[in-house]
Amino acid sequence: MEHYGIQPGFWKEFLIIMGAVIFLIAVIPAFLRRLMGADKKMWFSYNYINEFHKKGDWTLRIIFMIFFIVSAIIFTAKPIILLLISTLFTVIQLGFQTYVEWKFSRNRKNYKLSLIEISLISVAMTGVLLWLE
């Protein structure tokens, strides 16, 4: 008998994957931030270092939104591509933030933690993409 819709065991796998993603993206950086002595970040707030960082960040966001909308129209049959584009945007935005922290931040430990965050997000999203395929 064939199954239509959600496969058996989906929710168990989903919870394990989401737990691993949350651990990689939130728990490890918070622990390392405290261990390394980097500045605390507020969730969902804009932590701009200077005007260059603010303008660059908003430029990247606008470019991403245009690119995302165009990609959503072109790749309607393949939604996995939109997740890949979102992951790429996140890595590019964190890369820009890392550069600005390296160049202009008072606390030099911040950019090291941002590099670690880029690698952890890349690993987590690669795992999610492989799980979805």
Side-chain angles (χ1 to χ4, degrees):
M1 180 173 186
E2 292 186 34
H3 292 280
Y4 294 102
I6 297 176
Q7 298 294 322
F10 169 80
W11 290 110
K12 183 179 177 182
E13 284 182 29
F14 179 76
L15 290 175
I16 291 170
I17 295 293
M18 286 297 106
V21 167
I22 289 170
F23 184 75
L24 284 173
I25 292 177
V27 175
I28 292 176
F31 174 73
L32 289 175
R33 187 173 303 282
R34 183 172 294 187
L35 185 69
M36 293 173 60
D39 296 336
K40 288 186 178 182
K41 285 186 179 178
M42 299 296 294
W43 282 85
F44 302 111
S45 67
Y46 302 115
N47 298 319
Y48 298 122
I49 294 173
N50 56 18
E51 196 63 29
F52 172 72
H53 186 203
K54 184 176 181 179
K55 287 179 182 178
D57 189 53
W58 277 102
T59 302
L60 284 174
R61 289 175 193 226
I62 291 169
I63 290 170
F64 167 71
M65 289 306 295
I66 293 168
F67 193 70
F68 191 80
I69 290 169
V70 169
S71 298
I73 293 168
I74 294 173
F75 299 111
T76 54
K78 297 183 179 185
I80 195 89
I81 292 178
L82 297 177
L83 183 61
L84 185 62
I85 290 170
S86 297
T87 302
L88 183 65
F89 166 72
T90 303
V91 168
I92 289 171
Q93 191 174 22
L94 275 172
F96 178 71
Q97 178 181 337
T98 302
Y99 170 74
V100 172
E101 287 174 347
W102 171 72
K103 194 78 170 169
F104 302 109
S105 182
R106 290 185 182 118
N107 190 352
R108 301 287 288 176
K109 296 174 184 175
N110 291 338
Y111 87 90
K112 294 175 186 176
L113 190 65
S114 292
L115 283 174
I116 293 170
E117 286 178 356
I118 288 172
S119 61
L120 290 174
I121 287 173
S122 298
V123 167
M125 293 314 290
T126 301
V128 169
L129 288 170
L130 290 174
W131 178 69
L132 288 174
E133 283 294 318

